[in-house]
Amino acid sequence: MPKSRIRKKADFTPPPEKKATNIDLRGGGRRWVAPLMLAMFGIGLAWIVVFYVTNNSLPVESLGNWNIVVGFGFIATGFVVSTQWK
């Protein structure tokens, strides 16, 4: 019976080196995100607190209990803005 040929394995070639990407730790063009996010959280919290402290007469009396929804809307907007933070 004839002997089968032995296959030669190719020498190991390491993968090409990855070049490091420059990361801008100063925030780059998104410096507005953190202040806007904190402002939205603060406005929402203040809206709800003022609503409860003033016995439903402020910030907008005609909205009634919908003032709570408006306050949570500001807070939710803060969370949406926070997704843009890098």
Side-chain angles (χ1 to χ4, degrees), residues 16-38:
E17 292 184 24
K18 294 181 181 179
K19 294 183 179 179
T21 57
N22 291 335
I23 298 174
D24 189 8
L25 298 176
R26 292 175 287 146
R30 305 225 177 172
R31 294 181 186 192
W32 54 271
V33 173
L36 181 62
M37 174 185 65
L38 294 175

Side-chain angles (χ1 to χ4, degrees), residues 21-66:
T21 57
N22 291 335
I23 298 174
D24 189 8
L25 298 176
R26 292 175 287 146
R30 305 225 177 172
R31 294 181 186 192
W32 54 271
V33 173
L36 181 62
M37 174 185 65
L38 294 175
M40 290 293 114
F41 290 154
I43 291 170
L45 181 64
W47 193 287
I48 294 170
V49 168
V50 167
F51 173 70
Y52 277 118
V53 169
T54 61
N55 293 325
N56 305 341
S57 64
L58 287 175
V60 181
E61 187 175 3
S62 62
L63 288 178
N65 286 335
W66 283 97

